[in-house]
Amino acid sequence: MRRYLLGVQCLLDIAKHADLQAERWMASAEERGIDMTDIYISAVSPMILLGALDKAPVSGYIQQLRENVETIVQRFVDRELIAPVTKEIADRWGKILPQPLTYKDDAGVTHKYTFHEKLVLATALEGIEGRPFVLVDRRQEAHRELNLDLEDPAEVAP
């Protein structure tokens, strides 16, 4: 059975509760044969998201989004579906850290992956107990460069 790791952007898109593709991907996972116990988040994803929200201007929307993220993360914690940072993942992270990996946002602007985001990529590549994850994220050139197994919600979600 394949295991899936939600990318940080997908986790945020799910938390927005705006019927975005990542949310539809998650909602239709079981009918596509994906067991919900095979969908994980990285141990560092909550820190990445909450840190970004802490930097955003304070508003009711940001506060609600923060609460949504915390609720979703707690569901993964309760189900023990948090991918830890193992020695193997840390070793893989060390190998990809120097790589100048980039992604494009919705507006087509190119950004560099942060060292935190590269840790999520390393988690997908290395997986748990020798079983890599399928990364659920928007397709990016960096995914191809790393030879990541990827599922883009825009290509799958109804």
Side-chain angles (χ1 to χ4, degrees):
M1 217 85 194
R2 298 171 80 185
R3 290 192 291 195
Y4 298 82
L5 183 73
L6 294 179
V8 175
Q9 185 62 51
C10 283
L11 187 57
L12 179 62
D13 287 351
I14 292 167
K16 289 178 180 178
H17 296 306
D19 194 36
L20 298 174
Q21 291 159 330
E23 188 176 12
R24 291 195 302 271
W25 181 93
M26 190 77 165
S28 67
E30 286 184 303
E31 60 193 55
R32 289 181 290 109
I34 298 172
D35 189 315
M36 298 306 279
T37 62
D38 287 327
I39 302 173
Y40 289 71
I41 63 172
S42 168
V44 298
S45 293
M47 178 268 312
I48 295 169
L49 281 179
L50 295 173
L53 292 173
D54 286 345
K55 293 176 185 172
V58 177
S59 71
Y61 173 74
I62 294 297
Q63 181 57 36
Q64 184 61 58
L65 192 52
R66 181 181 187 74
E67 290 172 14
N68 292 352
V69 167
E70 290 172 345
T71 298
I72 291 168
V73 167
Q74 191 58 51
R75 286 186 201 141
F76 282 92
V77 169
D78 292 346
R79 295 179 183 141
E80 298 180 0
L81 296 172
I82 304 291
V85 178
T86 62
K87 180 188 180 314
E88 294 80 12
I89 290 170
D91 289 346
R92 180 69 69 108
W93 181 43
K95 291 176 184 172
I96 68 172
L97 267 175
Q99 295 180 24
L101 301 172
T102 60
Y103 65 94
K104 291 188 179 189
D105 64 18
D106 288 340
V109 177
T110 300
H111 303 272
K112 290 182 180 180
Y113 279 98
T114 66
F115 68 97
H116 299 106
E117 292 165 325
K118 288 180 179 180
L119 184 51
V120 175
L121 297 175
T123 302
L125 285 165
E126 195 59 41
I128 300 173
E129 299 165 354
R131 287 180 54 203
F133 286 103
V134 175
L135 181 66
V136 181
D137 206 351
R138 297 175 187 170
R139 188 171 301 282
Q140 301 289 340
E141 181 62 23
H143 300 143
R144 187 194 59 73
E145 291 173 22
L146 293 171
N147 200 28
L148 264 167
D149 194 359
L150 181 83
E151 189 159 304
D152 184 337
E155 298 167 1
V156 177

